[in-house]
Structures are given as C-alpha cells and as structure tokens.
C-alpha cells in the first residue's frame, strides 16, 4: 500500500481546486501547482521522498533497472517565464473529478472556499504517490514516472495574491 505524505509549507501558484477542468487528455481533474522556496532541504522533503521511493521501488526495481529519481519530479521555477515562479521548485499534484480534494482552513473543521484558497496563499497538502507507465500501440513502455495524487489542501496563511502566474 502506498503511503501518503504531508508536504512542507508551500505557496500556491496555479490552482484548480473548486471545479474540475479538462486536462490534455480531456479527463476532468482538480490540480494545484506548489512552489517550494529554494533552497529546499533534504530534511524538509524527507517525507515526500520516502513516499515517492515507496511507490516506485516495488514497481520498477528489478536488478539494475533505472527509474525516475525523486528530484526529477520537480521543475525549476527559474526556467519558467513567470517572475512569481523564480526562486522556487515546482511540483504538481492532481486528483480526478470523482475524488475532489478536501480543502480546509488552519482549523481543519472549517471547509475552505474559493475566497480562502488562491494563488499566492500558503498551504500544506497530503499527497499520495503513484507510479505510471505509458505504452505505445505496440505495447512497449515509452515512459515511466511517479506522480502525486492530491488528497487534502490545508491553507496555513495568507500571502500576496499572484497575478502573473
């Protein structure tokens, strides 16, 4: 069974948490882009890395087979055009429209609204890693990876709204 992980605090960049939207494959999903301020320490990401490795190793490690490393699931925000992403590592997580994420305020008994959670505020999330494989029409694996499913987003504090995301 895959272990869920609690993220360190991050700043929300793009978020689609209240209404599902179609992804590139036309499937409806909820999603969030998390911005972790650099430098990101190994200690702060230890729980995510442990969950990541727990999801990937049983599925892929056979002898010396290569697998996608933990750091490769992050995108360097310095390589993005938007100024708000600079100085951050970016990580996306999503859930299907059938399983909307739980959205809560600092007091977990209070349900968050779209006025509470917005690009620029700070949050933590509970993520569940899963491995995937994409095969071509001949059935050959063309890519493998680990992604994070979005379970819960808890706002931790307000931040300056991002307008140039």
């Amino acid at each position: 069974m895959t272990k869920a992980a609690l993220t360190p605090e991050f700043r929300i960049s793009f978020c689609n948490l209240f209404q599902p939207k179609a992804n590139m494959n036309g499937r409806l999903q909820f999603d969030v882009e998390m911005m972790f301020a650099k430098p990101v320490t190994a200690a702060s990401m230890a729980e995510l890395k442990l969950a990541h490795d727990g999801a990937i190793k049983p599925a892929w490690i056979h002898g010396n087979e290569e697998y996608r490393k933990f750091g490769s699931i992050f995108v360097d925000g310095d390589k993005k055009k938007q100024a708000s992403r600079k100085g951050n590592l970016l990580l996306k997580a999503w859930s299907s429209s059938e399983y909307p994420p739980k959205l809560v305020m600092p007091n977990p008994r209070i349900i968050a609204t779209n006025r509470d959670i917005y690009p620029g505020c700070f949050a933590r999330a509970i993520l569940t890693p899963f491995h995937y494989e994409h095969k071509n029409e001949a059935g050959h694996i063309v890519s493998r990876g680990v992604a994070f499913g979005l379970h819960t987003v808890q706002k931790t504090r307000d931040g300056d709204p991002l307008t140039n995301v």
Side-chain angles (χ1 to χ4, degrees):
M1 180 169 177
T2 303
K3 182 180 181 202
L6 178 64
T7 69
E9 186 179 62
F10 58 87
R11 192 166 186 203
I12 292 178
S13 179
F14 292 100
C15 66
N16 178 43
L17 298 170
F18 295 94
Q19 287 292 326
K21 291 189 180 172
N23 64 16
M24 292 187 319
N25 298 324
R27 294 188 199 116
L28 292 177
Q29 69 180 31
F30 297 93
D31 56 56
V32 65
E33 182 178 81
M34 300 166 267
M35 298 191 305
F36 297 95
K38 291 184 200 174
V40 176
T41 65
S44 70
M45 292 292 175
E47 191 172 343
L48 276 178
K49 183 174 183 345
L50 184 65
H52 169 276
D53 290 351
I56 199 168
K57 286 181 180 176
W60 293 352
I61 303 303
H62 304 290
N64 293 324
E65 187 174 357
E66 284 295 313
Y67 67 99
R68 194 170 190 179
K69 306 286 186 215
F70 177 68
S72 66
I73 62 172
F74 290 93
V75 174
D76 186 350
D78 293 340
K79 296 180 180 178
K80 297 292 185 176
K81 292 180 185 178
Q82 297 86 352
S84 62
R85 292 168 146 182
K86 307 282 185 208
N88 294 286
L89 286 180
L90 310 175
L91 177 66
K92 288 187 178 183
W94 60 85
S95 63
S96 69
S97 61
E98 294 87 21
Y99 300 100
K102 293 179 180 120
L103 307 171
V104 296
M105 296 299 287
N107 176 345
R109 295 185 190 133
I110 299 173
I111 304 299
T113 69
N114 59 355
R115 285 187 222 136
D116 298 320
I117 297 179
Y118 53 88
C121 76
F122 291 84
R124 293 182 76 169
I126 296 174
L127 307 178
T128 305
F130 60 91
H131 65 276
Y132 63 85
E133 292 181 343
H134 293 267
K135 297 181 180 181
N136 61 18
E137 291 178 10
H140 298 106
I141 297 170
V142 294
S143 69
R144 289 180 166 169
V146 168
F148 282 98
L150 185 59
H151 183 271
T152 303
V153 175
Q154 181 182 38
K155 180 180 177 179
T156 56
R157 59 190 168 105
D158 284 314
D160 291 332
L162 298 177
T163 57
N164 63 341
V165 294

